[in-house]
Amino acid sequence: MPELPEVETMCRGLHPIVGKKIQSVSTPPCDYRPIQIRPSIAKIDEQLRGSVVTEVSRIGKRVVIHANQFALILQPKMTGLVALDEPPDPEHVRLQVTFNGRPKQLVQFWDRRGLGTVEMLRADQLQARIIDGKLGPDALQITPADFVQRLKATGRPIKVALLDQKIVAGIGNLYASEMLHLAGINPRKAASKLSNQKLTELHTQMLLVLNLAILHEGSTLSDGTYRNALNNPGNFQNMHLVYDRAGEDCLTCHQAKIRRIVQAQRSTFFCPRCQK
DNA sequence: CATATGTCCTGAGAGC
DNA sequence: TGCTCTCAGGACATAT
């Protein structure tokens, strides 16, 4: 599940295409229901063909390829990824961007479940269409004070609040559990009832776990879908303290077992002893 | 406005 | 072994 560290890793892996000229943008034949692409692939190809990639950036959990004053926005959602090399399998390639030059370079948007989307906007529309009203400050950029203030403003359980991209952008189900464990916070606690000190600690641990995960190129889970741009798995899955470890010993206190609960229809993992 | 729920999709794994 | 069922969850649409 691509969250901030996985999407950041994808973006960094795409760096070799910066400065390259786009030869074409196309959708290869695919046996599955087509993903959402807007405007049409023909219009996207028309605008981007022949233009040079100036930047690859990340907005929350989206990958943005900039070229010709346009932004091509790839949203992996659950099982999508962006690959420079071969994707996990050839069956679920949803979009291809080919570049001029030898050897010919190719960026492929691959998505097994097809929940991902592709959107092209004028670069000057990015703020209004993607960020305003939809995304809070990025998890790697938000100040501790802003982080605390935004979480204090909701009575929802802290775990649920962390998943709300309007509060802070980039956190997903896996890292939400991990950072709450590191900060010693019970995921069911109302965000508004946490002390400033606890929330500040959470901010610290959030940065720690996200940056550490980026360093290890993200987490490749048992479904094996997430890979970095060169089709190698991440390494951070081996360092999870709570995620998907229900019934196993807590690696922090060694005196309790990790529990799984469901919040907002999503799994949450925590140690009942460390996170009271 | 804030919050809650339903929906999309495919494949892995469980259970019989 | 092969079938059916459940589950995984990001983001958006719709409901409360």
Side-chain angles (χ1 to χ4, degrees):
Chain A
M1 65 188 86
E3 304 181 27
L4 187 152
E6 289 77 26
V7 178
E8 179 67 25
T9 303
M10 289 177 205
C11 289
R12 293 184 185 188
L14 289 191
H15 192 257
I17 68 169
V18 174
K20 295 240 160 78
K21 186 183 277 190
I22 295 173
Q23 188 174 64
S24 70
V25 185
S26 61
T27 49
C30 177
D31 293 339
Y32 302 86
R33 185 183 170 282
I35 63 165
Q36 184 181 112
I37 297 179
R38 58 191 172 186
S40 68
I41 187 65
K43 287 219 171 76
I44 293 176
D45 180 63
E46 182 188 326
Q47 296 292 354
L48 296 184
R49 183 184 285 259
S51 62
V52 171
V53 174
T54 52
E55 186 189 0
V56 179
S57 65
R58 177 181 61 77
I59 297 181
K61 302 176 197 171
R62 294 162 168 88
V63 174
V64 185
I65 298 173
H66 301 259
N68 190 27
Q69 310 297 329
F70 283 90
L72 186 66
I73 305 153
L74 309 173
Q75 190 170 32
K77 292 201 180 173
M78 280 296 296
T79 50
L81 62 80
V82 184
L84 260 189
D85 206 332
E86 291 305 305
D89 70 56
E91 309 301 320
H92 301 83
V93 176
R94 313 295 186 145
L95 186 90
Q96 286 183 335
V97 185
T98 59
F99 295 88
N100 291 334
R102 280 188 302 259
K104 195 176 291 295
Q105 208 138 34
L106 181 66
V107 164
Q108 306 193 72
F109 183 56
W110 178 95
D111 186 354
R112 176 173 286 161
R113 278 165 61 184
L115 298 180
T117 62
V118 174
E119 184 175 7
M120 186 187 70
L121 294 175
R122 290 209 325 262
D124 61 11
Q125 294 278 298
L126 267 181
Q127 182 73 34
R129 299 282 293 278
I130 302 296
I131 300 174
D132 293 346
K134 286 192 190 173
L135 296 179
D138 190 81
L140 293 184
Q141 305 294 329
I142 192 170
T143 64
D146 196 15
F147 182 78
V148 170
Q149 188 186 356
R150 286 169 163 269
L151 286 170
K152 280 269 182 182
T154 179
R156 284 176 290 169
I158 181 66
K159 159 65 165 27
V160 176
L162 286 173
L163 295 182
D164 185 340
Q165 303 300 297
K166 285 196 275 268
I167 293 178
V168 53
I171 300 169
N173 204 47
L174 191 163
Y175 294 101
S177 281
E178 292 295 318
M179 63 185 70
L180 285 169
H181 178 73
L182 289 168
I185 295 171
N186 188 303
R188 288 181 285 211
K189 190 120 178 176
S192 53
K193 289 195 171 167
L194 288 162
S195 68
N196 285 19
Q197 188 189 346
K198 269 289 181 196
L199 288 171
T200 304
E201 175 65 10
L202 180 59
H203 178 266
T204 301
Q205 298 302 332
M206 170 180 76
L207 289 182
L208 205 77
V209 73
L210 293 178
N211 281 310
L212 193 61
I214 291 170
L215 207 62
H216 290 272
E217 302 197 294
S219 302
T220 298
L221 303 183
S222 56
D223 68 4
T225 52
Y226 164 72
R227 321 284 287 183
N228 70 13
L230 299 180
N231 197 24
N232 296 311
N235 292 312
F236 196 69
Q237 64 277 7
N238 303 317
M239 301 168 70
H240 296 167
L241 296 178
V242 292
Y243 185 79
D244 206 19
R245 296 193 64 249
E248 297 177 39
D249 283 338
C250 173
L251 296 171
T252 303
C253 71
H254 300 284
Q255 293 180 42
K257 296 204 184 303
I258 302 304
R259 282 193 56 194
R260 172 187 181 270
I261 60 174
V262 174
Q263 298 178 283
Q265 288 133 266
R266 277 143 179 80
S267 298
T268 300
F269 299 89
F270 74 108
C271 169
R273 189 171 184 279
C274 298
Q275 299 171 257
K276 288 203 179 293

